[in-house]
Amino acid sequence: MCGIVAGAEAPDGGRNIVDVLLEGLKKLEYRGYDSAGLAVVAAGELVRLRSVGRVADLEAQATQTRVRAATGIAHTRWATHGAPSERNAHPHISNGGLAVVHNGIIENFAELRAELVALGYEFCSDTDTEVIAHLVEQTLKSEPDLLAAVCSAVRRLKGAYAIAVVHKREAARVVVAREGAPLLLGLGEHGHYAASDASALLQVTRRMVYLENGDIAELTPQAWRVVRSDGAAVERPVALSQLSADAVELGRFRHYMQKEIFEQPDALANTLEMAGAAKSIQPGLFGADAEAALRRADSVLILACGTSYHSGLVARYWLEALAGVPCTVEIASEYRYRASVPRADQLVVAISQSGETADTLAALRYARELGQPLTLAICNVPESAIVRESKLRFITRAGPEIGVASTKAFTTQLAALFLLTLVLAKLRGRLTEAEEQRHLAALRHLPVAVQKVLALEPAIERWAQDFATKQHALFLGRGHHYPIALEGALKLKEISYIHAEGYPAGELKHGPLALVDRAMPVIAVAPNDALLEKLKSNLQEVRARGGELYVFADADSAVHDSAGVHVLRLPEHYGALSPVLHVVSLQLLAYHAALVKGTDVDKPRNLAKSVTVE
C-alpha cells in the first residue's frame, strides 16, 4: 500500500523529473491507492499537483500545467487517516516551502499535532503525515540544514514510516528516511533516486541500495550518503537488481492477474530449480545453518496473513502427515495480541510475498521476543525486512507480482513449504529413498502439470458466465484441499465482489447447508483421494436441497455430470501436490467471473497489494 518515488537529477541533463516520477508511480499502482500527487522544485518555487483517482489523472494535470523540474517527490496514497480526497492526498506542505510524502502510520501524531498547533501551524488535512511536514519545518528554525533537520525530526516520530522531503531553497536535494516501511535508493547516471519498490526505478537504473530501519539518506544529482538519526555516517552496499523492465510489462495479456496465472509454470520451475537439479533433498536449500536448526526444531509455527495464511494451512497437513512434526498456523495479525506458550525449539516460519507485511513482520519479532530464535522466512523479495530478520530463508522465485490478488506467489509458497516438509521428514528418518525420489520426480513435473491445467481456461471461462449473475457462492474441500477452498473463495470475493465462503465439506450440515438453494452455486474441489467418497456424500446433500454444483475433479474421479452437477476434470491426479493444481483452476474461475462483471481485476476496490501498516 502507498508508494513513494523521488529523485534529484542534474538540471542540465535535459530530462524532466516529472516524467520519471509519473512513470514510477505507474509501476507502483499495483500496491493499491486512492489518490496520487507530486511536488517539484521549479525555478526556486515549490509546485504541487494532487488528484483523487488514478495516476493518469495526475499525469493529465502535469501535461496541462507543463511543469518542468529536476528535483521532486511523488506518492500514491492508500487512506488510513482521513478519507480519500484531494486535501488528504500527498504531498503535504508546510509554509509553502517544504513538501513531504509518507508511507506508514505515525502513532504519536495527535500529540505532535497539538504541539504544532500551539506553535501556530495550521493543518489543512486529516492525515498523520502533515505533522511530519510541520515538524521538519519547525526544526529547520534551529537546524537550517535539511538533512540535519530531518534527522532531528524523525527522532520524535513513533510508528512505521518511509518519508521523502524536498524544500524550495534546496533545488537539487532530496532527503529520505526509513523506519519499518520499505524504501530503497537508485543510483543512476544522471541523478539519484528513491522509491518504495525497485520496479519504480528500473526506468533509470538497476543499481539499488536497500535502506535499513533507522537510515536517513541525502540525494543530490552527483552524490548520495546514508546516516543514522544522530548524523553518524553508515555504509550500505550497492546491489544490482535482478528485476527486468520486461518482467513488469503486461505483454500480450489483458491483465496482470491473467499474466501471473499463466506465469506459474515458469515461476514454479525457477523456485524448484535447485531441488529439481539435485539427486536428493538437502537442508541447505534453507540456508547454510539450516541443518542444525531444522534438526533442533520440535514443532512448527507458521505466521502469515491472507493468501499466505492459506498456504500455511496446506503445509500443516503436509508437515504432520509426511514429516510427523506438530504444526500450528496463526493469522499474524492475531498472534501477538493473545497469550501464547512459546517453545524455544519451535521453528517459526514467516510467509509473505513482499516481505514487508506489517502484521507478519511484527508477529515474527514478537515470536523472537518470546524466546523463539529458530526463524525461517519464505518470501519472494530477497532484500525485504522479513528475510533480513530471519535466521533461515527460502526465496521463492515468482518474479514481480503486480496484481493485487496473489496467484503465482501462492503456488510458489506451496512449493517452498513442500520442500520444507520433505527436508524435515528426511532429517527425522521418515522419508525412504524411494519416497524421496518419487517426490522429487513429482516436483520436477509440477510445472508441466500446471501447464495442463491452464489449458482448461476455455471451459472454465464458460463456467464463469454463470457466476457473474450470482450474489453468493460456497466453496467446499476436504483435507489439504479445504485451504484451497478458502483460497478459491478469497480470490472470487477479492476481484469479482461476489460474496464467497470456503468450508470443509464435512461441516456442511453444521450450518452452511441452510444457505444452499438454486441461486447459490457450490464449488467443490474433488481430487481422487481417500476422502473422495466422503465428499461425494456431501455433494449429494447439496443436490437434495436444489443447489447447483460445479466440481473440479481429477481425470480418474468417479464424479459425473448430471442435472445440476457440472464436472470439469483436471488432467491428472497429483497426490500430495494436488492442491497446487486445483488452486490454479480456481484462480482462473475468479479471473473470468470478474471479467464478465467488468470489475478492475488488477486493482480491486479498497485493497492494497503490500499491507505495510497494521
Side-chain angles (χ1 to χ4, degrees), residues 17-362:
I17 195 67
V18 173
D19 297 332
V20 176
L21 298 178
L22 289 170
E23 183 62 25
L25 290 186
K26 290 176 185 177
K27 293 294 186 273
L28 297 181
E29 286 188 288
Y30 75 92
R31 297 170 71 91
Y33 68 104
D34 46 56
S35 59
L38 61 83
V40 296
V41 181
E45 293 298 325
L46 189 68
V47 178
R48 176 175 63 166
L49 302 176
R50 297 187 293 177
S51 174
V52 176
R54 296 304 181 197
V55 172
D57 300 323
L58 182 67
E59 186 175 33
Q61 281 192 48
T63 301
Q64 184 176 10
T65 58
R66 299 181 181 180
V67 60
R68 292 188 61 86
T71 303
I73 57 178
H75 190 265
T76 51
R77 176 180 186 256
W78 194 81
T80 54
H81 293 72
S85 63
E86 184 174 328
R87 69 189 295 268
N88 288 328
H90 297 209
H92 290 287
I93 63 174
S94 183
N95 290 349
L98 179 143
V100 63
V101 293
H102 161 233
N103 293 350
I105 291 179
I106 304 303
E107 296 173 359
N108 61 333
F109 86 97
E111 168 192 329
L112 292 172
R113 182 178 177 129
E115 176 184 321
L116 291 162
V117 167
L119 290 171
Y121 287 93
E122 293 185 9
F123 282 77
C124 303
S125 75
D126 306 311
T127 70
D128 55 339
T129 302
E130 195 176 358
V131 302
I132 303 173
H134 295 318
L135 182 61
V136 174
E137 181 70 26
Q138 176 65 21
T139 308
L140 280 169
K141 294 178 180 179
S142 56
E143 294 275 10
D145 178 77
L146 184 61
L147 176 63
V150 172
C151 288
S152 179
V154 298
R155 289 198 295 267
R156 301 202 56 199
L157 301 180
K158 296 179 182 177
Y161 55 81
I163 64 174
V165 184
V166 292
H167 199 286
K168 69 178 183 181
R169 72 174 184 228
E170 304 275 0
R173 199 178 190 197
V174 178
V175 176
V176 301
R178 174 194 173 160
E179 180 63 53
L183 194 66
L184 55 89
L185 309 182
L187 313 182
E189 293 183 8
H190 304 289
H192 296 107
Y193 312 87
S196 307
D197 188 314
S199 63
L201 299 182
L202 291 177
Q203 56 173 316
V204 289
T205 185
R206 290 180 61 198
R207 298 176 65 228
M208 308 292 178
V209 176
Y210 295 90
L211 298 180
E212 302 284 346
N213 283 338
D215 283 354
I216 300 111
E218 176 187 55
L219 306 174
T220 68
Q222 298 80 23
W224 63 279
R225 61 172 169 148
V226 181
V227 301
R228 305 297 282 177
S229 62
D230 62 359
V234 291
E235 296 291 330
R236 295 288 178 248
V238 179
L240 190 66
S241 174
Q242 298 305 303
L243 290 179
S244 68
D246 291 342
V248 292
E249 296 298 330
L250 192 55
R252 64 182 177 87
F253 295 96
R254 295 178 64 179
H255 298 90
Y256 281 106
M257 183 179 180
Q258 184 188 31
K259 176 176 184 276
E260 288 151 12
I261 290 172
F262 276 82
E263 286 176 338
Q264 287 177 112
D266 286 342
L268 286 164
N270 292 336
T271 297
L272 295 167
E273 181 180 17
M274 292 294 291
K279 295 181 179 179
S280 62
I281 298 292
Q282 298 298 326
L285 291 168
F286 295 90
D289 302 324
E291 182 168 355
L294 296 179
R295 284 189 183 280
R296 175 182 164 187
D298 63 4
S299 58
V300 174
L301 167 64
I302 296 175
L303 303 171
C305 298
T307 285
S308 297
Y309 171 70
H310 294 160
S311 73
L313 292 178
V314 176
R316 180 175 63 185
Y317 287 91
W318 288 336
L319 287 162
E320 297 197 344
L322 300 179
V325 178
C327 178
T328 303
V329 187
E330 295 264 6
I331 296 173
S333 57
E334 292 291 324
Y335 167 69
R336 66 192 177 107
Y337 293 114
R338 71 174 186 85
S340 59
V341 180
R343 299 170 64 98
D345 292 330
Q346 186 170 61
L347 177 67
V348 179
V349 182
I351 309 174
S352 168
Q353 186 279 138
S354 68
E356 304 288 350
T357 308
D359 289 316
T360 306
L361 183 57

Side-chain angles (χ1 to χ4, degrees), residues 400-424:
E401 190 177 66
I402 307 300
V404 167
S406 180
T407 52
K408 61 178 180 174
F410 177 71
T411 50
T412 53
Q413 286 169 358
L414 290 179
L417 289 162
F418 193 73
L419 286 175
L420 176 64
T421 299
L422 296 182
V423 169
L424 288 170

Side-chain angles (χ1 to χ4, degrees), residues 389-408:
E389 296 191 25
S390 296
K391 180 180 179 67
L392 309 176
R393 74 279 311 273
F394 187 97
I395 306 302
T396 58
R397 294 170 59 191
E401 190 177 66
I402 307 300
V404 167
S406 180
T407 52
K408 61 178 180 174

